[in-house]
Short mmCIF file of all heavy atoms in Angstrom, two decimals:
data_model
loop_
_atom_site.label_atom_id
_atom_site.label_comp_id
_atom_site.label_asym_id
_atom_site.label_seq_id
_atom_site.Cartn_x
_atom_site.Cartn_y
_atom_site.Cartn_z
N CYS Z 274 49.63 -102.50 61.55
CA CYS Z 274 48.47 -103.20 60.99
C CYS Z 274 47.32 -102.21 60.98
O CYS Z 274 46.97 -101.65 62.03
CB CYS Z 274 48.12 -104.43 61.83
SG CYS Z 274 46.71 -105.39 61.20
N GLN Z 277 42.27 -100.31 55.77
CA GLN Z 277 42.26 -99.25 54.77
C GLN Z 277 41.15 -99.50 53.75
O GLN Z 277 40.73 -100.65 53.53
CB GLN Z 277 43.60 -99.23 54.01
CG GLN Z 277 44.82 -98.99 54.89
CD GLN Z 277 45.01 -97.51 55.19
OE1 GLN Z 277 44.11 -96.70 54.97
NE2 GLN Z 277 46.18 -97.15 55.68
N GLN Z 304 26.70 -96.02 44.03
CA GLN Z 304 26.98 -97.19 43.20
C GLN Z 304 27.66 -96.72 41.91
O GLN Z 304 27.48 -95.58 41.48
CB GLN Z 304 25.68 -97.94 42.86
CG GLN Z 304 24.87 -98.36 44.07
CD GLN Z 304 25.57 -99.39 44.92
OE1 GLN Z 304 26.24 -100.28 44.40
NE2 GLN Z 304 25.43 -99.28 46.23
N ILE Z 308 25.16 -90.59 39.22
CA ILE Z 308 25.62 -89.25 38.86
C ILE Z 308 26.17 -88.55 40.10
O ILE Z 308 25.51 -88.49 41.13
CB ILE Z 308 24.49 -88.42 38.24
CG1 ILE Z 308 23.94 -89.11 37.00
CG2 ILE Z 308 24.98 -87.01 37.89
CD1 ILE Z 308 24.96 -89.35 35.93
N LEU Z 309 27.40 -88.02 39.98
CA LEU Z 309 28.02 -87.28 41.08
C LEU Z 309 27.83 -85.78 40.92
O LEU Z 309 27.46 -85.09 41.87
CB LEU Z 309 29.52 -87.60 41.15
CG LEU Z 309 29.90 -89.06 41.39
CD1 LEU Z 309 31.42 -89.21 41.37
CD2 LEU Z 309 29.33 -89.55 42.72
N GLU Z 322 21.37 -80.06 19.53
CA GLU Z 322 20.13 -79.82 18.79
C GLU Z 322 20.41 -79.38 17.37
O GLU Z 322 19.74 -79.81 16.41
CB GLU Z 322 19.27 -78.78 19.53
CG GLU Z 322 18.67 -79.29 20.83
CD GLU Z 322 17.84 -80.55 20.63
OE1 GLU Z 322 17.03 -80.58 19.68
OE2 GLU Z 322 18.01 -81.51 21.41
N LEU Z 323 21.40 -78.50 17.19
CA LEU Z 323 21.75 -78.04 15.85
C LEU Z 323 22.26 -79.20 15.00
O LEU Z 323 21.87 -79.34 13.83
CB LEU Z 323 22.82 -76.95 15.95
CG LEU Z 323 23.33 -76.38 14.62
CD1 LEU Z 323 22.19 -75.78 13.81
CD2 LEU Z 323 24.43 -75.35 14.88
N SER Z 348 24.11 -88.08 -11.09
CA SER Z 348 25.49 -88.40 -11.42
C SER Z 348 26.17 -89.02 -10.19
O SER Z 348 25.71 -88.87 -9.05
CB SER Z 348 26.24 -87.15 -11.85
OG SER Z 348 26.39 -86.26 -10.75
N LEU Z 359 25.24 -86.79 4.56
CA LEU Z 359 24.55 -87.53 5.62
C LEU Z 359 25.58 -88.11 6.60
O LEU Z 359 25.40 -88.03 7.83
CB LEU Z 359 23.70 -88.64 5.02
CG LEU Z 359 23.01 -89.57 6.03
CD1 LEU Z 359 22.08 -88.77 6.93
CD2 LEU Z 359 22.25 -90.69 5.30
N LYS Z 363 26.00 -87.20 10.66
CA LYS Z 363 25.95 -88.21 11.72
C LYS Z 363 27.17 -88.08 12.64
O LYS Z 363 27.06 -88.15 13.87
CB LYS Z 363 25.90 -89.61 11.12
CG LYS Z 363 24.57 -90.00 10.50
CD LYS Z 363 24.64 -91.42 9.95
CE LYS Z 363 23.30 -91.84 9.36
NZ LYS Z 363 23.35 -93.22 8.80
N ILE Z 382 33.04 -96.27 40.76
CA ILE Z 382 33.12 -97.37 41.71
C ILE Z 382 31.92 -97.36 42.65
O ILE Z 382 31.20 -96.36 42.77
CB ILE Z 382 34.41 -97.28 42.58
CG1 ILE Z 382 34.39 -95.99 43.42
CG2 ILE Z 382 35.65 -97.37 41.72
CD1 ILE Z 382 35.50 -95.91 44.45
N VAL Z 386 31.07 -91.45 49.81
CA VAL Z 386 31.62 -90.12 49.57
C VAL Z 386 32.42 -89.69 50.80
O VAL Z 386 31.88 -89.54 51.89
CB VAL Z 386 30.51 -89.10 49.28
CG1 VAL Z 386 31.10 -87.69 49.10
CG2 VAL Z 386 29.71 -89.52 48.04
N SER Z 404 35.65 -86.95 46.49
CA SER Z 404 36.57 -88.02 46.90
C SER Z 404 35.75 -89.22 47.35
O SER Z 404 34.82 -89.08 48.17
CB SER Z 404 37.47 -87.53 48.04
OG SER Z 404 38.34 -88.56 48.47
N ASP Z 409 33.89 -101.90 51.20
CA ASP Z 409 33.57 -103.33 51.13
C ASP Z 409 34.04 -103.85 49.78
O ASP Z 409 33.42 -103.56 48.76
CB ASP Z 409 32.07 -103.55 51.29
CG ASP Z 409 31.70 -105.02 51.30
OD1 ASP Z 409 32.60 -105.85 51.56
OD2 ASP Z 409 30.52 -105.34 51.03
N ILE Z 425 54.31 -116.25 55.26
CA ILE Z 425 52.98 -115.76 54.90
C ILE Z 425 52.83 -115.93 53.39
O ILE Z 425 53.68 -115.51 52.62
CB ILE Z 425 52.80 -114.28 55.29
CG1 ILE Z 425 53.05 -114.08 56.79
CG2 ILE Z 425 51.41 -113.79 54.91
CD1 ILE Z 425 52.07 -114.80 57.68
N GLN Z 429 46.49 -117.31 52.02
CA GLN Z 429 46.42 -117.72 53.42
C GLN Z 429 45.36 -116.89 54.15
O GLN Z 429 45.16 -115.72 53.88
CB GLN Z 429 47.78 -117.54 54.08
CG GLN Z 429 47.86 -118.00 55.53
CD GLN Z 429 49.27 -117.87 56.09
OE1 GLN Z 429 50.21 -117.62 55.34
NE2 GLN Z 429 49.41 -118.03 57.39
N ALA Z 435 39.98 -105.55 65.43
CA ALA Z 435 40.30 -104.12 65.53
C ALA Z 435 39.26 -103.48 66.45
O ALA Z 435 38.19 -103.08 66.00
CB ALA Z 435 40.29 -103.46 64.16
N THR Z 448 46.25 -111.21 49.94
CA THR Z 448 46.21 -110.98 48.49
C THR Z 448 47.57 -110.59 47.91
O THR Z 448 47.83 -110.83 46.74
CB THR Z 448 45.19 -109.88 48.15
OG1 THR Z 448 45.54 -108.67 48.86
CG2 THR Z 448 43.78 -110.30 48.54
N PRO Z 452 57.56 -108.87 47.34
CA PRO Z 452 58.68 -109.77 47.05
C PRO Z 452 60.02 -109.25 47.53
O PRO Z 452 61.02 -109.96 47.44
CB PRO Z 452 58.64 -109.87 45.52
CG PRO Z 452 58.08 -108.56 45.08
CD PRO Z 452 57.09 -108.16 46.14
N SER Z 458 64.28 -100.63 57.07
CA SER Z 458 63.52 -101.02 58.25
C SER Z 458 63.55 -102.52 58.51
O SER Z 458 63.11 -102.97 59.57
CB SER Z 458 62.06 -100.57 58.10
OG SER Z 458 61.46 -101.19 56.97
N THR Z 460 61.72 -104.73 56.95
CA THR Z 460 60.31 -105.16 56.95
C THR Z 460 59.85 -105.41 55.52
O THR Z 460 60.46 -104.99 54.56
CB THR Z 460 59.40 -104.10 57.58
OG1 THR Z 460 59.49 -102.88 56.81
CG2 THR Z 460 59.81 -103.81 59.02
N SER Z 468 36.01 -108.89 53.91
CA SER Z 468 34.67 -108.44 53.54
C SER Z 468 34.10 -107.54 54.63
O SER Z 468 34.40 -107.71 55.82
CB SER Z 468 33.75 -109.64 53.32
OG SER Z 468 33.59 -110.37 54.53
N LEU Z 478 41.26 -97.91 61.33
CA LEU Z 478 41.51 -98.51 62.64
C LEU Z 478 42.80 -99.32 62.64
O LEU Z 478 43.12 -100.00 61.66
CB LEU Z 478 40.35 -99.43 63.04
CG LEU Z 478 38.99 -98.79 63.31
CD1 LEU Z 478 37.97 -99.87 63.60
CD2 LEU Z 478 39.07 -97.80 64.47
#
Side-chain angles (χ1 to χ4, degrees):
C274 181
Q277 300 279 14
Q304 304 294 322
I308 302 301
L309 299 177
E322 289 304 314
L323 178 59
S348 67
L359 176 60
K363 287 181 178 179
I382 63 171
V386 177
S404 178
D409 183 20
I425 303 296
Q429 183 176 349
T448 57
S458 61
T460 61
S468 64
L478 294 176

